[in-house]
Amino acid sequence: MTRPSGAAGTTDELIQRLYEQPPDGFVAARTAAIDEAKRAGDRDTAKRLAALKKPTVAAWVVNLLALRRPDLIDELVDLSAALRDAQRGLQGDQLRELTAQRRQVVSALVGAARKLALEADPGAKLPLGEVEATLSAALAEPSIAAQVRTGRLIRAASYAGFGEVPKPRLRLVSDTDDEFDEEAEDDDEGGEVVEFPQQSTRERQAAERRRRQIEQRRRELRRELGAAEAAEHRADEQLERAEGAERDAGHLVEDLDAELAELERRRTEAQADVARRKQARRAAEREVAAARRRVGDVQAALEDLESGEPD
């Protein structure tokens, strides 16, 4: 089937509306949209809609922000790029300034997202911690920022890379103290701790142990992430099967309801026909009784006439 011009844009607008509304109504709205597309013969749209997944509450809140206030997400992305440039250059003053700015931006974004969510669903319980974690992850990872920009997240995101998102880990070594004044870590894949010429052997050994611990933890987290993603994939498939079964069962119920309605209509008509035939039978019975009485009367008159004739 050839779709009319502008159909793709219309479908995108429909998808946006689905992701803007509270998650509780997502499945029902998606099913209604799929059924409408099928009735219109638009199989491509029905297939696109069927592939959509229900977002968590936290993902919905972030989607609202991305769809209704994209300017704020642009500000987040710009700050992310500036922060990465400062981290690569190890510019301490600029890092501190950007870190403070980042906290302010994330806090403002969470507040704006909360306002939008409560306007859409005043009684919603909002997991603002997950919302904040997702926005912080978008600051750290351009790929996550790109996902946030789409407005089609299905679950909250978190930063799974090296280091701690909310607080850059730049470690500066003091001449007189074994403790670190500030924390930071390199932005490259190796994740090596920055060392300065004045580090002692003991400090370098401690830094090396820390690097090995972090690398081991990184490997563990990656294994856990792989297992979690596999479990997520299985759960998504199970959800899709369950939703498909739910739709099929709903369609069956609708078909049975239609059949029941037709049978009820036919039953009502049959009852009316029985009543009409009963009335006709009673009328016929009355006619038979009248005819029999007439026959009896005529026979009696005939007998009286014959009995009165002379021999």
Side-chain angles (χ1 to χ4, degrees):
M1 172 181 177
T2 301
R3 293 198 291 180
S5 176
T10 302
T11 302
D12 288 337
E13 292 171 0
L14 174 58
I15 292 173
Q16 176 173 330
R17 289 196 297 272
L18 286 174
Y19 279 102
E20 281 181 333
Q21 72 173 8
D24 287 347
F26 182 88
V27 173
R30 181 188 57 192
T31 300
I34 291 172
D35 292 342
E36 183 177 351
K38 288 180 177 178
R39 286 194 296 269
D42 192 346
R43 295 183 179 180
D44 291 341
T45 294
K47 186 176 180 180
R48 284 187 64 188
L49 295 173
L52 300 178
K53 294 181 175 60
K54 175 182 175 181
T56 64
V57 175
W60 165 64
V61 175
V62 176
N63 289 339
L64 272 182
L65 186 66
L67 295 171
R68 297 185 179 179
R69 293 297 308 274
D71 55 309
L72 297 181
I73 300 300
D74 290 341
E75 182 179 349
L76 182 78
V77 173
D78 292 342
L79 177 60
S80 173
L83 186 60
R84 286 195 299 274
D85 289 342
Q87 287 174 328
R88 282 193 291 267
L90 294 178
Q91 301 166 5
D93 292 341
Q94 189 178 5
L95 270 174
R96 282 189 289 272
E97 180 181 350
L98 288 173
T99 298
Q101 185 179 352
R102 175 177 57 187
R103 294 194 185 100
Q104 294 173 358
V105 170
V106 171
S107 178
L109 290 179
V110 171
R114 176 181 180 276
K115 181 180 179 181
L116 291 172
L118 291 179
E119 288 174 353
D121 187 1
K125 294 182 179 179
L126 305 178
L128 297 181
E130 295 181 35
V131 174
E132 182 177 359
T134 300
L135 296 173
S136 296
L139 270 173
E141 285 288 348
S143 60
I144 296 178
Q147 294 173 25
V148 168
R149 263 180 162 167
T150 66
R152 299 182 186 180
L153 291 181
I154 59 174
R155 58 184 52 83
S158 60
Y159 181 56
F162 180 67
E164 183 181 349
V165 174
K167 187 176 182 181
R169 303 182 57 136
L170 175 61
R171 294 193 170 187
L172 303 179
V173 179
S174 169
D175 292 339
T176 58
D177 196 348
D178 292 337
E179 296 295 325
F180 295 117
D181 297 327
E182 292 182 61
E183 292 186 341
E185 293 168 330
D186 285 344
D187 199 32
D188 60 1
E189 181 66 20
E192 296 179 356
V193 176
V194 178
E195 296 183 2
F196 293 87
Q198 295 177 339
Q199 282 185 316
S200 67
T201 301
R202 180 170 59 83
E203 289 167 344
R204 288 195 298 271
Q205 290 174 345
E208 177 63 19
R209 285 195 300 272
R210 175 60 178 164
R211 187 193 66 79
R212 288 196 298 268
Q213 291 170 356
I214 291 174
E215 187 61 31
Q216 180 179 357
R217 181 57 178 161
R218 187 211 300 267
R219 289 193 294 268
E220 293 173 352
L221 288 174
R222 283 177 174 169
R223 286 194 296 269
E224 291 178 12
L225 177 61
E229 288 176 341
E232 175 192 20
H233 180 69
R234 291 193 298 271
D236 284 340
E237 289 181 341
Q238 183 177 0
L239 175 60
E240 290 176 1
R241 289 194 297 269
E243 290 174 346
E246 178 187 13
R247 286 196 298 272
D248 293 342
H251 294 157
L252 177 59
V253 170
E254 291 173 358
D255 293 343
L256 290 175
D257 285 341
E259 291 180 12
L260 287 173
E262 175 63 17
L263 289 173
E264 184 62 28
R265 184 188 64 79
R266 292 169 58 185
R267 179 175 179 272
T268 301
E269 290 179 352
Q271 287 178 330
D273 187 54
V274 168
R276 288 193 297 270
R277 294 178 184 276
K278 184 178 291 186
Q279 291 176 351
R281 176 182 60 78
R282 289 175 178 173
E285 288 176 346
R286 288 193 295 270
E287 291 178 2
V288 168
R292 286 175 179 172
R293 287 195 299 271
R294 179 61 179 164
V295 168
D297 293 342
V298 172
Q299 287 178 342
L302 182 59
E303 290 175 357
D304 290 342
L305 179 62
E306 291 177 347
S307 62
E309 291 181 355
D311 294 335

